Amino acid sequence: MLRTNTELKTPGFTVKATMKNAVVEGPPAAGAFRERPSKPTTFRKFYERGEFPMALMHDTKGNRIAWKVEIEKLDYHHYLPLFFDGLCETVHPYEFFARQGVHDMLEHGGPKIQPVIPQLIMPIKINCGDSIYYGQQKRENIGDLIQETLEVFERYGGEDAFINIKYMVPTYESCMIR
């Protein structure tokens, strides 16, 4: 009588794993590289409820924000921290509106930006922990943008700007002492 060798598949570290015909199965996939959905940001919630005075405008140069209100008349204490919160978004249109909104508001904000700086530090710190490389699009490496933003805050934020930034971001080095 001829016996066939049948393999017995078994998990590791069991009594069956020590048997002659046992084939130990590997561990299940841990999922380290599986995409994990992030929690919706406050920015996304406000956008989905239609609470931002803006719309997407397409033109020959690409997409941009069509503001329904003059940017200078926006409540910077309310909107600027929300847009900074949205910088960790990676899905269109949220990531586009957050980045472009921050850019537009910083460009047109002038003296309205300085009083809001303390509210921006936490969203900036949260976005610093991101290990995703965003440099695929027009000089938009998130680390470089954060550094550049902090330097603008220091230059135009008044005499206490450096101390306030350093308090919240201890690794920040002054751009004025070079």
Side-chain angles (χ1 to χ4, degrees), residues 104-148:
D104 290 353
M105 291 181 80
L106 289 178
E107 187 177 346
H108 294 75
K112 290 180 140 191
I113 297 169
Q114 180 189 2
V116 186
I117 290 175
Q119 291 175 269
L120 302 179
I121 300 299
M122 281 312 291
I124 289 173
K125 282 176 75 173
I126 290 168
N127 288 318
C128 278
D130 197 334
S131 63
I132 299 171
Y133 177 70
Y134 290 97
Q136 300 93 348
Q137 302 171 354
K138 313 174 210 147
R139 83 169 190 84
E140 288 191 1
N141 179 304
I142 193 75
D144 294 343
L145 288 174
I146 290 170
Q147 180 66 31
E148 188 178 320

Side-chain angles (χ1 to χ4, degrees), residues 54-134:
M54 63 184 184
L56 184 61
M57 186 165 123
H58 305 283
D59 65 8
T60 57
K61 297 176 186 172
N63 295 334
R64 62 185 192 101
I65 293 179
W67 293 95
K68 297 176 182 176
V69 176
E70 290 180 41
I71 296 175
E72 293 81 9
K73 293 184 179 179
L74 288 175
D75 178 3
Y76 272 61
H77 281 281
H78 177 69
Y79 288 111
L80 195 55
L82 287 172
F83 278 92
F84 267 87
D85 177 57
L87 289 176
C88 62
E89 292 286 351
T90 57
V91 179
H92 186 76
Y94 312 109
E95 56 94 17
F96 168 76
F97 278 118
R99 288 175 188 277
Q100 192 61 47
V102 165
H103 181 270
D104 290 353
M105 291 181 80
L106 289 178
E107 187 177 346
H108 294 75
K112 290 180 140 191
I113 297 169
Q114 180 189 2
V116 186
I117 290 175
Q119 291 175 269
L120 302 179
I121 300 299
M122 281 312 291
I124 289 173
K125 282 176 75 173
I126 290 168
N127 288 318
C128 278
D130 197 334
S131 63
I132 299 171
Y133 177 70
Y134 290 97

Side-chain angles (χ1 to χ4, degrees), residues 30-41:
F33 299 103
R34 183 182 65 234
E35 186 176 330
R36 291 173 187 78
S38 60
K39 290 187 267 180
T41 61

